[in-house]
Amino acid sequence: MVQATGGGLGTWKYPQAQPPPPPSPEDRRGERLLELHASFRELFTFFCTNATIHGAIRLVCSSGNRLKTASWGLLLVGALGALYWQFGLLFEQYWSYPVITTVSVHSERKLFPSVTLCDMNPHRPSPVHRHLQALDEFAQETLYALYTFNFSESQEVPGAADLDPEPAFQLDRRIHLQRLSRPGGQNKVGFRLCNSTGGDCFYRVYSSGVTAAREWYRFHYINILALLPPTHEDSHRSHGSHFVYSCRYDGRHCEAPHFQTFHHPTYGSCYTFNGAWAAQHPGITHGISLVLRTEQQDHLPLLSTENGIKVMIHSRDHTPFLEHRGFSIRPGTETTIGIREDEVHRLGSPYGHCSDGGEGVDVPLLYNASYTMQACLVSCFQQLMVETCSCGYYLYPLPVGTEYCSYTRHPAWGHCFYRLYRDLETHRLPCASRCPRPCRESSYKLSAGTSRWPSSKSADWTLAVLGKRGRWIPSRSPRSSVAKMNILYQELNYRTVDETPVYSVPRLLSAMGSLWSLWFGSSVLSVLELLELLLDAVALALLLGCRRLRSAGGAQPGAARRASHLGPEATQLPSDCRPDVERPGARLASSPATLPGAPAGASAKESRL
């Protein structure tokens, strides 16, 4: 400030700030593209002063107070340790790949699922008719020995003298039903199976005599069916022409191309309805309605003990496994089945173990259909069956180049099969791990309601109308020979169950940022500042190391060069006799020589100094 005086009071004038002079060309030439600090202390001081991490500047501001500096240093180290401890917990949870399930509801047109129907009336293939008749006689003898029960004459199987020659077969009467319980204990019935040598035997035991008789009869029945050629066409088509009295779907009549037929050894003639249409509205008029024949013809009374219809609702192009997911329809009733569909979307690796259309599954499917877990399990078991027992189970598809099991060709296959099947039930086979669930799967929730059909007032004319159409109606218990079934969508809303990861990459970064902000109150740029500090420290360490190596390597050649200039005489003299290597100040102490041009009195004074 400058004080200006005049005629009145003094006034103060502030000098105007002058702009800094522009850098000279020499300064510009002295700038470097990359400049480093001279020491680690300077580098650390610069970082703490300019960093955006909270608390770092306290290390510089409190440098005069060692207690505060140590306290803030411990706080920063503790916060850093807590941060990385929580980072460890976060990454541990992330690498466990947890998922959450979200359920959403959608409403749109849906394709009607496939419906498989079986008449539960297995019949006798003509090539093995006599063998089955011999089995029935053996069963009659066994039941009479155990329960003193004899079949009525109406259930006897007629002879088959006019049939073609049958394949050679000898019924193994050593495998028979027997009581296995002790006196006074629980009644158990079963049959014994042994290996090829007879040294290893076990009993297939059942607490129910009905179940034991069915399983024993089916074991012999499968051995007889295994004699049939693989290309044998059964007569279920002619029998099944009387199975469906009427069929309507979406207000239209069903046609023959809508049905796919096959024969099941236990459930008889089966039909799969594949009407390709999308239901636009819920209700019976937009579903499928069928009138079916449920007559029990007593072809194989020990094999089929139920009377009715076996039904399974499944996705299109999926194999129906009636023994696992099928349900029964009672004769003489009208059953209305409502469908609600759920779609499940699962996550694959690393979040879960599922397969998208069979990809990554090392089990070749034996079914010509889409991948399902049950189809994979059956294919895996059949392959193990062929590898272990040298033959395949008759109820499952046969791999190429193998044959079905029969004790005519494989006497000990029953022992091998039941041992292997027991391992499958106890999850000791690798099939469960080799067959993952599908990543996308549709499941159907069913609800059913039944009523008596036809009613007592309308039974006569309803059955008469069905009979006039050329269908055979038995005179005995006519209501028990028919059933009506309606299958419909209860609502077009369907649920989607989606698996989503708990920690995706954006969520992981968000959680890490939250923890970093909690402990240090900074952002991603602060992490970059730490990275810059680390790189500068490494570069400074390398630079200082290189300087030390250069200085250590350059000192030794310089000393050798100075020693060579002294000559041999100088090197042989003692150090205090060499005039060229006197220490500074030694001349002032040894002689009173004066400086050139100095007065004589000054020499003594300088020497004293």
Side-chain angles (χ1 to χ4, degrees):
M1 293 183 297
V2 180
Q3 184 179 8
T5 59
L9 298 175
T11 58
W12 296 89
K13 294 183 180 180
Y14 293 89
Q16 295 182 355
Q18 299 295 329
S24 61
E26 290 79 4
D27 296 336
R28 292 176 181 175
R29 287 194 298 268
E31 294 178 356
R32 298 292 185 269
L33 180 63
L34 179 62
E35 295 184 356
L36 297 177
H37 298 276
S39 63
F40 287 102
R41 183 180 182 87
E42 181 182 348
L43 174 62
F44 184 73
T45 302
F46 176 80
F47 172 77
C48 293
T49 306
N50 298 278
T52 58
I53 299 176
H54 291 185
I57 196 172
R58 292 289 184 176
L59 299 177
V60 179
C61 296
S62 305
S63 59
N65 192 332
R66 294 183 178 180
L67 179 60
K68 287 186 177 182
T69 303
S71 301
W72 279 103
L74 291 176
L75 287 175
L76 285 176
V77 173
L80 185 64
L83 172 66
Y84 282 99
W85 172 67
Q86 290 192 344
F87 273 177
L89 297 179
L90 180 63
F91 277 98
E92 181 181 3
Q93 187 176 9
Y94 172 76
W95 283 323
S96 64
Y97 300 108
V99 296
I100 57 176
T101 302
T102 58
V103 180
S104 57
V105 180
H106 306 270
S107 179
E108 60 183 18
R109 298 173 57 185
K110 295 292 295 182
L111 286 176
F112 206 82
S114 298
V115 180
T116 298
L117 312 167
C118 297
D119 61 1
M120 298 177 67
N121 193 13
H123 51 281
R124 302 169 180 270
S126 56
V128 292
H129 192 279
R130 287 198 180 97
H131 298 321
L132 293 176
Q133 183 177 357
L135 176 59
D136 289 339
E137 296 175 356
F138 185 29
Q140 182 178 359
E141 297 174 3
T142 303
L143 292 180
Y144 184 81
L146 289 177
Y147 303 103
T148 64
F149 171 78
N150 195 1
F151 286 95
S152 61
E153 294 183 359
S154 60
Q155 292 178 330
E156 291 181 357
V157 179
D162 55 341
L163 300 178
D164 297 333
E166 299 182 357
F169 177 77
Q170 185 65 34
L171 196 64
D172 192 352
R173 293 181 172 268
R174 296 173 299 176
I175 305 176
H176 61 278
L177 280 178
Q178 52 185 315
R179 294 184 185 274
L180 304 174
S181 59
R182 297 179 180 179
Q186 184 182 4
N187 293 328
K188 291 186 178 181
V189 184
F191 52 96
R192 188 180 68 168
L193 296 170
C194 299
N195 61 354
S196 57
T197 60
D200 184 12
C201 300
F202 77 98
Y203 288 89
R204 188 72 176 174
V205 183
Y206 303 91
S207 59
S208 172
V210 176
T211 305
R214 288 187 58 196
E215 292 297 325
W216 170 80
Y217 188 91
R218 187 170 71 167
F219 176 74
H220 288 285
Y221 175 69
I222 288 174
N223 283 275
I224 296 175
L225 293 184
L227 302 175
L228 296 172
T231 58
H232 172 70
E233 292 292 337
D234 207 273
S235 60
H236 67 279
R237 296 179 182 270
S238 60
H239 170 72
S241 61
H242 303 283
F243 177 53
V244 181
Y245 284 118
S246 65
C247 173
R248 288 183 65 85
Y249 75 97
D250 198 25
R252 293 172 287 179
H253 291 285
C254 303
E255 303 293 340
H258 295 153
F259 291 94
Q260 295 179 357
T261 59
F262 64 95
H263 182 74
H264 195 279
T266 305
Y267 299 112
S269 298
C270 299
Y271 293 80
T272 299
F273 179 79
N274 289 318
W277 90 93
Q280 299 181 1
H281 303 283
I284 296 179
T285 57
H286 298 279
I288 180 173
S289 180
L290 303 103
V291 178
L292 305 171
R293 178 183 182 180
T294 60
E295 177 198 1
Q296 191 75 22
Q297 297 183 359
D298 294 333
H299 285 318
L300 296 169
L302 285 179
L303 186 65
S304 177
T305 59
E306 299 178 76
N307 184 17
I309 302 170
K310 203 72 171 181
V311 183
M312 180 178 173
I313 299 175
H314 54 92
S315 300
R316 301 177 60 85
D317 199 24
H318 281 187
T319 303
F321 293 94
L322 298 162
E323 58 274 14
H324 296 283
R325 296 187 178 182
F327 57 94
S328 301
I329 297 297
R330 182 181 177 183
T333 60
E334 180 178 0
T335 304
T336 302
I337 302 172
I339 303 175
R340 291 182 179 178
E341 185 176 357
D342 291 342
E343 290 186 2
V344 181
H345 301 163
R346 301 183 180 92
L347 292 176
S349 179
Y351 298 98
H353 187 43
C354 69
S355 175
D356 189 5
E359 295 182 359
V361 180
D362 59 349
V363 178
L365 292 184
L366 300 178
Y367 296 92
N368 188 19
S370 300
Y371 175 84
T372 60
M373 184 178 180
Q374 189 64 38
C376 180
L377 289 174
V378 171
S379 302
C380 177
F381 179 80
Q382 185 74 310
Q383 289 183 354
L384 293 178
M385 181 75 183
V386 172
E387 296 173 2
T388 307
C389 307
S390 302
C391 58
Y393 188 49
Y394 184 78
L395 296 182
Y396 301 150
L398 191 66
V400 178
T402 58
E403 59 182 2
Y404 285 120
C405 295
S406 176
Y407 48 60
T408 301
R409 299 185 294 259
H410 310 88
W413 82 268
H415 177 273
C416 178
F417 167 76
Y418 282 109
R419 291 281 191 186
L420 197 64
Y421 193 77
R422 185 175 61 182
D423 292 340
L424 179 65
E425 292 177 334
T426 55
H427 305 285
R428 286 185 288 180
L429 293 182
C431 293
S433 59
R434 297 175 61 187
C435 295
R437 297 175 298 177
C439 294
R440 300 179 66 90
E441 185 179 17
S442 295
S443 61
Y444 299 96
K445 308 298 182 183
L446 308 179
S447 60
T450 60
S451 62
R452 190 176 182 181
W453 187 88
S455 64
S456 57
K457 299 295 184 180
S458 60
D460 295 337
W461 74 266
T462 301
L463 298 176
V465 170
L466 292 176
K468 288 181 180 180
R469 294 184 179 181
R471 304 292 190 256
W472 179 77
I473 302 296
S475 59
R476 182 178 56 186
S477 301
R479 184 180 286 109
S480 63
S481 62
V482 292
K484 186 176 181 179
M485 183 176 61
N486 305 311
I487 302 176
L488 53 98
Y489 270 116
Q490 280 188 324
E491 54 186 19
L492 294 183
N493 295 335
Y494 66 96
R495 296 190 309 171
T496 301
V497 182
D498 296 292
E499 287 184 353
T500 55
V502 175
Y503 285 107
S504 59
V505 174
R507 289 185 179 179
L508 177 64
L509 295 177
S510 177
M512 292 176 61
S514 299
L515 292 176
W516 183 268
S517 178
L518 172 66
W519 292 103
F520 289 99
S522 53
S523 63
V524 177
L525 297 179
S526 303
V527 180
L528 297 180
E529 291 177 356
L530 286 175
L531 181 61
E532 181 186 14
L533 174 65
L534 179 62
L535 294 177
D536 289 345
V538 172
L540 182 59
L542 293 176
L543 181 60
L544 295 178
C546 292
R547 286 181 178 178
R548 287 190 177 184
L549 291 177
R550 291 181 60 185
S551 61
Q556 296 178 358
R561 285 194 300 268
R562 287 194 300 267
S564 62
H565 291 313
L566 295 177
E569 294 82 359
T571 56
Q572 294 178 1
L573 295 176
S575 60
D576 55 353
C577 298
R578 298 172 189 172
D580 296 336
V581 293
E582 291 181 351
R583 294 186 298 274
R587 183 178 302 174
L588 296 177
S590 58
S591 61
T594 60
L595 295 176
S603 61
K605 183 177 180 181
E606 290 294 329
S607 62
R608 287 195 299 269
L609 292 175

